[in-house]
Amino acid sequence: MGENKLKQLQSLELLFKSKGTPQRRVISPLLANLYLHFTLDVWLTKQYPSVSFVRYADDIIIHCNSKEEAEEVLRAVKGRLAEVKL
């Protein structure tokens, strides 16, 4: 095996051993999107089916019908994010 290939494999090994997703890599936004889809989008759809929302990457806008509903949903979302360690 060539020295260059060996360095690439060692880099990959370090990449998979580190915690979280690597920054400035193509895979980071994809993994973040998948994670948020299942931990927030699906949850929000099940918990608040009458509330619509739009998410782009890690930004979300939740459309509520009243201030009271917005405050309730905000508390619930904060709790959900804490639950999944975000």
Side-chain angles (χ1 to χ4, degrees):
M1 183 179 298
E3 187 176 332
N4 195 27
K5 267 293 199 213
L6 183 59
K7 286 181 181 180
Q8 286 177 336
L9 288 174
Q10 289 170 338
S11 294
L12 284 175
E13 184 179 354
L14 289 173
L15 178 74
F16 289 116
K17 286 183 179 180
S18 64
K19 184 178 178 183
T21 60
Q23 297 298 309
R24 296 176 300 282
R25 306 276 188 197
V26 174
I27 197 72
S28 293
L30 176 63
L31 291 176
N33 197 42
L34 285 170
Y35 189 75
L36 284 173
H37 172 74
F38 289 106
T39 61
L40 186 60
D41 300 354
V42 171
W43 175 85
L44 195 55
T45 301
K46 288 180 181 177
Q47 297 298 315
Y48 296 93
S50 64
V51 172
S52 63
F53 64 94
V54 177
R55 186 175 59 77
Y56 180 78
D58 61 351
D59 296 322
I60 188 168
I61 296 174
I62 302 172
H63 304 276
C64 298
N65 296 308
S66 67
K67 180 179 178 184
E68 292 77 22
E69 183 181 50
E71 290 170 346
E72 176 190 338
V73 172
L74 178 60
R75 277 192 300 276
V77 167
K78 284 180 178 182
R80 177 62 176 167
L81 293 177
E83 184 180 312
V84 296
K85 309 228 183 319
L86 286 178

